[in-house]
Amino acid sequence: MTINTQTTTPACGCNSISVTFRRRVLTEVSLSCEAGEWLGIIGPNGAGKTTLLRVLAGLLRPEDGKAEIAQQDVWKLPPRKRARLVAMIPQSPTTPAGVKVLDYVLLGRVPYSGTGFVASASDVALVREILEQLNIAQFADIPVGQLSGGERQRAVVARALAQQTPLLLMDEPTSALDLGQQLEVMELIDQLRVERNLTIITAIHDLSLAGQFADRLLLLADGMIAAEGTPKEILTQENIRRFYGANVNIVSNGTFGVALSVQRNHHLAQKIKTSEQTQSKPT
């Protein structure tokens, strides 16, 4: 059995999105994302990254503007149809500890069922192939709660892939993983993007990962788009200093974007060092 490649044009976007809770969270944000593209949404804490993803997923209705998937208004789509067009991996996904991996991933097939979900033989075969592709087939009958962090994240990705949507939204997909697991998950997602022509939009704090995996970056600040372009255009020392208050070194990774290394504040570091030396002197 071959996992179907989606033929639906997965282009998506939003126009003049504004959202207010106790304060204005997003102000007239517009974006577009082409089929097969990886768009990274970056910005400091509180910039509105997660809120924007929730609007695109149809989980939050904006007070102004609209979001579209495959040229269809997200809010006018029935929930099941919307779930066949977009899957979202939240920052802290709920993974029931006692549920087996196979059963957890099968939940991604719910949008294709009628009332009262009962997995069909084709559903099970599809999910087993996805587990095989993600190298977690050996954990099919193991409770999700017994998996390591990296294995659990693969199961979460598998559930999203089981929806067979052309659009995948991810909110900080590597936040709970160690360095090796972060790269492992990002490489896997990029491979799947190419193989399945997925459109991916990711909110991400790790600017080095964003700079090496995303085709294009959108920088949010105070709920507005501050800059948009390629990683090399957006991840500059000036932008990082201005919007993050940090000094960084920018390292070109050739055709694979850019990586960043953070520098200490030399003035503050020297002040601390001097204070430490003074306190260590014998009285």
Side-chain angles (χ1 to χ4, degrees):
M1 178 179 179
T2 301
I3 298 175
N4 293 332
T5 299
Q6 294 293 325
T7 58
T8 304
T9 301
C12 67
C14 61
N15 184 41
S16 299
I17 293 294
S18 293
V19 175
T20 301
F21 296 132
R22 293 183 179 179
R23 62 177 180 84
R24 179 58 66 91
V25 180
L26 293 175
T27 303
E28 297 186 351
V29 172
S30 299
L31 66 84
S32 63
C33 196
E34 299 302 321
E37 183 180 18
W38 189 329
L39 175 66
I41 301 175
I42 62 172
N45 287 336
K49 300 184 295 296
T50 295
T51 300
L52 180 54
L53 284 187
R54 287 175 58 80
V55 169
L56 292 171
L59 301 176
L60 177 65
R61 188 167 192 168
E63 61 192 73
D64 292 307
K66 70 174 182 177
E68 292 185 338
I69 302 173
Q71 300 179 329
Q72 300 177 77
D73 189 326
V74 172
W75 274 98
K76 292 181 179 179
L77 291 171
R80 283 183 184 273
K81 185 174 183 179
R82 186 170 64 230
R84 295 177 187 180
L85 290 173
V86 56
M88 181 167 176
I89 298 176
Q91 184 172 354
S92 301
T94 300
T95 52
V99 176
K100 293 180 180 179
V101 170
L102 178 65
D103 295 329
Y104 172 72
V105 178
L106 276 169
L107 292 175
R109 302 303 298 161
V110 170
Y112 298 90
S113 70
T115 303
F117 174 64
V118 177
S120 66
S122 60
D123 287 331
V124 174
L126 173 68
V127 165
R128 286 194 180 279
E129 185 168 352
I130 292 172
L131 295 179
E132 193 74 43
Q133 188 176 17
L134 271 61
N135 198 28
I136 52 173
Q138 66 272 32
F139 304 127
D141 296 321
I142 295 178
V144 176
Q146 294 183 17
L147 301 180
S148 68
E151 293 162 352
R152 190 180 303 115
Q153 192 68 356
R154 281 176 176 260
V156 171
V157 172
R159 175 177 169 172
L161 292 177
Q163 286 181 233
Q164 289 191 296
T165 63
L167 173 62
L168 177 61
L169 307 178
M170 302 187 296
D171 190 5
E172 302 294 346
T174 62
S175 61
L177 304 178
D178 64 32
L179 184 60
Q181 292 172 338
Q182 289 176 15
L183 287 171
E184 182 181 81
V185 167
M186 294 293 278
E187 295 284 11
L188 171 64
I189 291 169
D190 199 30
Q191 178 184 347
L192 294 170
R193 176 185 65 84
V194 173
E195 292 176 355
R196 307 184 72 183
N197 195 35
L198 286 172
T199 300
I200 297 177
I201 302 180
T202 309
I204 187 166
H205 275 298
D206 191 315
L207 299 181
S208 285
L209 290 179
Q212 294 180 85
F213 285 92
D215 299 308
R216 189 162 50 92
L217 296 177
L218 185 148
L219 173 59
L220 286 180
D222 297 322
M224 295 180 285
I225 296 177
E228 184 177 0
T230 66
K232 289 184 179 180
E233 292 170 339
I234 302 305
L235 297 179
T236 64
Q237 290 180 323
E238 179 182 355
N239 279 341
I240 303 306
R241 190 178 302 113
R242 177 182 176 188
F243 295 104
Y244 289 87
N247 294 317
V248 297
N249 287 321
I250 309 293
V251 181
S252 174
N253 198 15
T255 58
F256 301 105
V258 296
L260 282 65
S261 63
V262 180
Q263 295 180 335
R264 287 193 66 178
N265 182 312
H266 291 176
H267 175 73
L268 182 58
Q270 185 58 51
K271 185 177 180 181
I272 294 172
K273 188 67 174 179
T274 301
S275 176
E276 181 184 33
Q277 292 174 343
T278 301
Q279 293 178 13
S280 65
K281 290 182 179 179
T283 56

